[in-house]
Amino acid sequence: MHDDLLARARAWLAEDPDADTRAELAKLIDAEDHAELTSRFAGTLQFGTAGLRGELGAGPMRMNRSVVIRAAAGLAAYLKKQGTPHGDDTAGLVVIGYDARHKSADFARDTAAVMTGAGLRAAVLPRPLPTPVLAFAIRHLGAVAGVEVTASHNPPRDNGYKVYLGDGSQIVPPADAEIAAEIAAVRSLHDVPRPESGWQTLDDSVLDAYLARTDAVLAEGSPRTARTVYTAMHGVGKDTLLAAFARAGFPEPVLVAEQADLDPDFPTVAFPNPEEPGAMDLAFAKARETGPDLVVANDPDADRCAVAVHDGADWRMLRGDEVGALLAAHLVARGAHGTFAESIVSSSLLGRIAGKAGLPYEETLTGFKWIARVEGLRYGYEEALGYCVDPEGVRDKDGITAALLITELASALKAEGRTLLDLLDDLAVEHGLHATDQLSVRVEDLSLIAAAMHRLREQPPARLAGLTVTRAEDLTRGTDTLPPTDGLRYTLDGARVIVRPSGTEPKLKCYLEVVVPVAGHAGLPEARAKATELLTALKRDLSSAAGI
């Protein structure tokens, strides 16, 4: 067994095109580091609806150039089997974007080379740019597919590979399994042609077109006075957001200087995710210093948007569900038409807002790959800070256009002497206080997640937080409106709980919502206190039921 492991490692080493990972792997082989080699060669990084995502390093269980070349070859083979023209000037175009993480530019170039070698046309964005620019470029350029090299808000040691098809939305089954099968069929990297040239590096015209499209997000003649503090979280959002804000006529955002420049090591944060504790501390410090109307943050690839407001004596982050409801209410007030959609883990308040406005409403599985496919979509959001406010331009979450829209709303409220919190109060009085929270457990051992899910399936809770569970659904069976997924949904009297493993991180995620009726504005403090008490009890009881 030990000899077989070393033989597989040496075979991988012989093909590896990257000097860095070759040196890393050679050192492990020379040391006969059985534990580390086993970790890297225990299987292959699995390609799914999130594409690929994992830790950088040598071997098939890590993100590296060898894994990316195989993934690109599998995607190219899939596209050709779908009937995509190839081999001449009318060949299908694959557009490729990348963030500023370690190895992202290398992975983008490798993908372009593989597509070119397969007889397809390839075009690479001019530099590290927001993921929504890539999603826009696919539709704008009439591409048959797109690839974004990014690990979004994962730790600095990670990278990833996200695949879109020609409609500009991310892949869903069965395309993921069909691409995975083509990747598995790649025997050797020596079988994958990778010419040194032949692909196109795009100029700024595609970015200019994206920025021009952002005009469609805002209402003509709307107030543009709200002042912002902005952090790019060491990612790619800064220049694009500043250009979009200048184009719209908003005051120039005050930058969080320590997080403004690209840095793949993300030195000021433990995790480069605005939702993580401490990630917004520097932005809040800048807000205390400058007194803006709101704080806006993007994650490192700028497809998510976080918003913070002055609340009492200090600043606080709004939950994704709160921003989702605010944007929905703003679009309704502007007379938006079309379907409002969200994932099942997001607040049911969106359905109330859409219903009151007489607009179609749909729930989907988690992820914008599902939300973006809703027929007639006008607005979609997910509680994890993802908002699609211009689906005709970008059929994915977009942290730049979401920032524009929330700043327009803050400006309109400011003109009335009101704030985002005032509008949230109004929504609570109109529709009931919808309070959400999350119990999220990060693990080193993935078997702990499987064990928790098994325990909940075998012994479903009858009561949580003193409330009777009126309905327990195992979503692996699917529902009348949802395809199967690994998740559990509990409906209670005045509450809802969903439990699922994360698709991109080693986490078990539990999404909690309580709805407390409110008679009027005077009743809001009591309703909030009751909601907090219920959410705390839900966390405690669910943690006990799951054994986490």
Side-chain angles (χ1 to χ4, degrees), residues 211 214 218 224 226-230 238-254 294 296 298 305 399-408:
L211 289 169
T214 64
L218 304 177
R224 312 278 169 94
R227 295 177 301 109
T228 56
V229 160
Y230 171 71
K238 179 189 72 173
D239 291 345
T240 305
L241 182 130
L242 290 179
F245 269 56
R247 184 182 181 94
F250 287 114
E252 183 177 357
V254 174
L294 70 166
V296 172
N298 287 137
C305 176
I400 305 296
T401 51
L404 287 171
L405 194 62
I406 197 70
T407 307
E408 179 187 58

Side-chain angles (χ1 to χ4, degrees), residues 33-240:
D33 188 335
H34 188 265
E36 188 62 28
L37 287 170
T38 298
S39 168
R40 291 159 184 260
F41 286 85
T44 58
L45 208 57
Q46 289 303 298
F47 184 93
T49 53
L52 293 167
R53 198 177 289 187
E55 186 176 343
L56 289 161
M61 288 294 289
R62 299 287 187 268
M63 281 296 296
N64 51 64
R65 290 183 62 198
S66 297
V67 164
V68 164
I69 290 166
R70 283 181 163 81
L75 174 59
Y78 166 83
L79 292 171
K80 289 161 74 171
K81 282 192 175 177
Q82 297 299 306
T84 300
H86 53 279
D88 58 29
D89 291 342
T90 63
L93 173 67
V94 178
V95 61
I96 302 148
Y98 59 102
D99 66 12
R101 285 177 178 266
H102 294 295
K103 298 292 181 181
S104 285
D106 293 339
F107 295 168
R109 280 193 295 270
D110 282 332
T111 301
V114 170
M115 295 301 160
T116 304
L120 299 167
R121 290 182 297 134
V124 183
L125 294 184
R127 58 185 171 282
L129 286 168
T131 292
V133 176
L134 180 275
F136 167 83
I138 294 165
R139 291 162 63 82
H140 178 67
L141 298 173
V144 296
V147 170
E148 176 69 18
V149 179
T150 182
S152 190
H153 56 274
N154 275 38
R157 65 177 180 270
D158 289 0
N159 213 326
Y161 198 81
K162 187 185 292 188
V163 175
Y164 297 75
L165 293 181
D167 62 355
S169 54
Q170 298 172 49
I171 54 168
V172 294
D176 57 341
E178 292 169 7
I179 295 169
E182 297 294 345
I183 294 169
V186 178
R187 288 175 166 270
S188 165
L189 292 194
H190 300 309
D191 299 333
V192 182
R194 286 181 289 131
E196 293 290 324
S197 61
W199 59 88
Q200 177 187 8
T201 299
L202 295 166
D203 60 21
D204 275 357
S205 60
V206 69
L207 176 60
D208 294 341
Y210 168 83
L211 289 169
R213 177 70 204 182
T214 64
D215 295 347
V217 173
L218 304 177
E220 190 174 345
S222 62
R224 312 278 169 94
T225 59
R227 295 177 301 109
T228 56
V229 160
Y230 171 71
T231 175
M233 208 68 70
H234 300 294
V236 299
K238 179 189 72 173
D239 291 345
T240 305

Side-chain angles (χ1 to χ4, degrees), residues 487-509:
L488 300 164
R489 177 163 61 182
Y490 303 113
T491 304
L492 302 91
D493 185 17
R496 182 219 65 199
V497 173
I498 292 175
V499 184
R500 60 179 282 273
S502 170
T504 56
E505 299 176 89
K507 282 182 176 181
L508 182 68
K509 291 187 163 186

